Amino acid sequence: MFLFDSRAPRLSVDEARARTTGERAEAVLLDVRELPEWRAGHAPDAVHAPLTALITGAPLPASTRSRTLVVVCRSGHRSQQAAKLLVERGADAVDVKGGMDAWAASGYPVVDERGNSGSTA
């Protein structure tokens, strides 16, 4: 279990979306949920890297390296763990408050593994 610095930067879903979408996105949305959750629904431009894999030392996907990482999970707990772990490894990473639940509640798109409308549950 990780201990968290309450002053660690966290982004709202609005800030996360602004930083990770569009042709000139300054950051990558990194979804750290497990594969069944990812398949059920994720942000269209997100990249998948499960927290369990990161904990065991798996490398980040090539498309995310040397980029700012905006880390998301379902509710915000695992993304805090992942962001802390990634920062300790030298990455520029922040997490998203409220996770994909807040993303979907804000009306932002969620797609399943086939690109159809997905869910965060």
Side-chain angles (χ1 to χ4, degrees):
M1 173 127 232
F2 294 96
L3 297 177
F4 301 111
D5 180 347
S6 62
R7 297 164 296 172
R10 301 188 80 195
L11 299 180
S12 69
V13 292
D14 295 331
E15 293 168 318
R17 186 162 193 264
R19 292 184 66 183
T20 62
T21 57
E23 288 183 29
R24 297 183 184 256
E26 66 182 75
V28 174
L29 187 62
L30 185 71
D31 191 321
V32 297
R33 296 173 302 148
E34 295 305 311
L35 187 57
E37 296 170 290
W38 167 263
R39 287 180 173 157
H42 55 272
D45 296 323
V47 175
H48 187 227
L51 176 60
T52 53
L54 294 173
I55 288 171
T56 62
L60 286 168
S63 63
T64 67
R65 296 181 194 146
S66 301
R67 305 247 347 249
T68 298
L69 304 172
V70 175
V71 186
V72 68
C73 65
R74 183 183 52 80
S75 65
H77 178 73
R78 286 175 287 178
S79 60
Q80 281 185 299
Q81 292 179 12
K84 180 177 180 357
L85 175 71
L86 293 166
V87 166
E88 288 172 355
R89 291 184 185 171
D92 179 11
V94 295
D95 82 289
V96 179
K97 292 183 281 187
M100 285 302 298
D101 287 344
W103 181 278
S106 293
Y108 295 137
V110 176
V111 296
D112 68 13
E113 65 180 328
R114 294 180 184 92
N116 299 318
S117 182
S119 73
T120 62

